[in-house]
Amino acid sequence: MPDLLSRLRDLVAQTSLKLTETQLQQCIAYVTLLDKWNSAYNLTSVRNPQEMLVKHVLDSLVVAPHLVGSNFIDVGTGPGLPGILLAIYYPEKHFTLLDSLGKRIRFLNQVKLQLDLKNVSPIQSRVEAHQPEQGYDGVISRAFASLNDMLSWCKHLPAVNGQFFAMKGAAVQEEIAALPDFVKVMAIKALQVPELDAQRHLVILAKV
């Protein structure tokens, strides 16, 4: 799909992101797989591959520059958003992709195989039931419940100096006002997603 590839190049050029030709092609391969599986598995409400480039690929990749650490978990990953895209961007970092639905994990295993992503581990589990041997440097969530719910369900997941990276829309201040007392806000980053007509923020939190 050369038109998808050139469109992705144009979108990435509007950001500070740096992707190699191989990485760009992996992103397109992911979108192609998502589009193919979507009709049978209903993995995303976004049906158009061109829209997926903005609403899924770029919307996931814009958090990449803010991630600190080498071992991450994407909770409630769905079809691998943002985990798969971040794993493409950072082949040297490891991403555990956690979801409770088997069809999503089957899809992610297929993506891992076809894109030859050695740095992802899809796991089918509820968040509360996932007890890692060691904590993660970063716990990432996108479109996953409220901040409060995310933190109470995931508080056992970060390592001692680990952080929470919550991808949110516009109304972050109300949620921040109601945060539990075991975390503090380290930063709120406004994210710019090319051609996306909606606000995006990354809230970075640490345990107190």
Side-chain angles (χ1 to χ4, degrees):
M1 290 190 178
D3 56 328
L4 276 182
L5 189 57
S6 57
R7 176 152 157 73
L8 181 59
R9 275 199 202 99
D10 291 344
L11 288 166
V12 169
Q14 297 173 53
T15 71
S16 60
L17 298 165
K18 300 278 182 278
L19 284 91
T20 64
E21 193 61 27
T22 302
Q23 287 171 317
L24 290 167
Q25 288 175 356
Q26 282 180 307
C27 291
I28 297 302
Y30 169 73
V31 166
T32 307
L33 272 173
L34 184 55
D35 183 46
K36 180 178 160 188
W37 279 59
N38 206 27
S39 51
Y41 279 70
N42 198 24
L43 297 166
T44 169
S45 58
V46 181
R47 297 290 176 197
N48 181 335
Q50 296 280 356
E51 273 187 65
M52 288 178 187
L53 292 182
V54 174
K55 292 181 177 174
H56 289 339
V57 176
L58 265 295
D59 196 41
S60 294
L61 287 173
V62 288
V63 301
H66 304 290
L67 297 185
V68 178
S70 58
N71 186 26
F72 297 87
I73 183 167
D74 177 11
V75 293
T77 186
L81 301 165
I84 287 289
L85 282 309
L86 294 173
I88 290 171
Y89 194 81
Y90 285 124
E92 74 283 3
K93 299 181 191 289
H94 189 271
F95 293 85
T96 297
L97 310 178
L98 194 75
D99 203 275
S100 59
L101 279 188
K103 67 178 183 179
R104 294 174 183 158
I105 298 301
R106 283 193 289 281
F107 170 70
L108 292 171
N109 279 319
Q110 189 63 31
V111 170
K112 177 180 178 173
L113 187 71
Q114 288 200 225
L115 273 59
D116 194 27
L117 295 174
K118 307 258 193 300
N119 60 332
V120 301
S121 302
I123 294 178
Q124 185 180 350
S125 172
R126 292 178 64 81
V127 177
E128 315 88 282
H130 178 59
Q131 300 290 337
E133 286 181 22
Q134 61 184 62
Y136 297 95
D137 297 326
V139 178
I140 305 168
S141 75
R142 174 183 185 265
F144 175 88
S146 68
L147 263 181
N148 222 325
D149 284 349
M150 176 227 173
L151 293 164
S152 53
W153 293 337
C154 301
K155 64 180 176 188
H156 63 292
L157 295 176
V160 175
N161 295 317
Q163 293 182 311
F164 298 95
F165 297 89
M167 300 166 67
K168 306 299 291 184
V172 287
Q173 291 304 336
E174 295 157 33
E175 290 193 45
I176 285 168
L179 282 178
D181 55 11
F182 67 84
V183 292
K184 61 179 175 183
V185 177
M186 306 301 287
I188 303 171
K189 307 279 188 182
L191 303 172
Q192 301 301 321
V193 183
E195 296 181 29
L196 185 70
D197 189 23
Q199 285 189 13
R200 288 287 184 267
H201 292 90
L202 178 67
V203 184
I204 304 172
L205 308 112
K207 276 177 153 178
V208 176

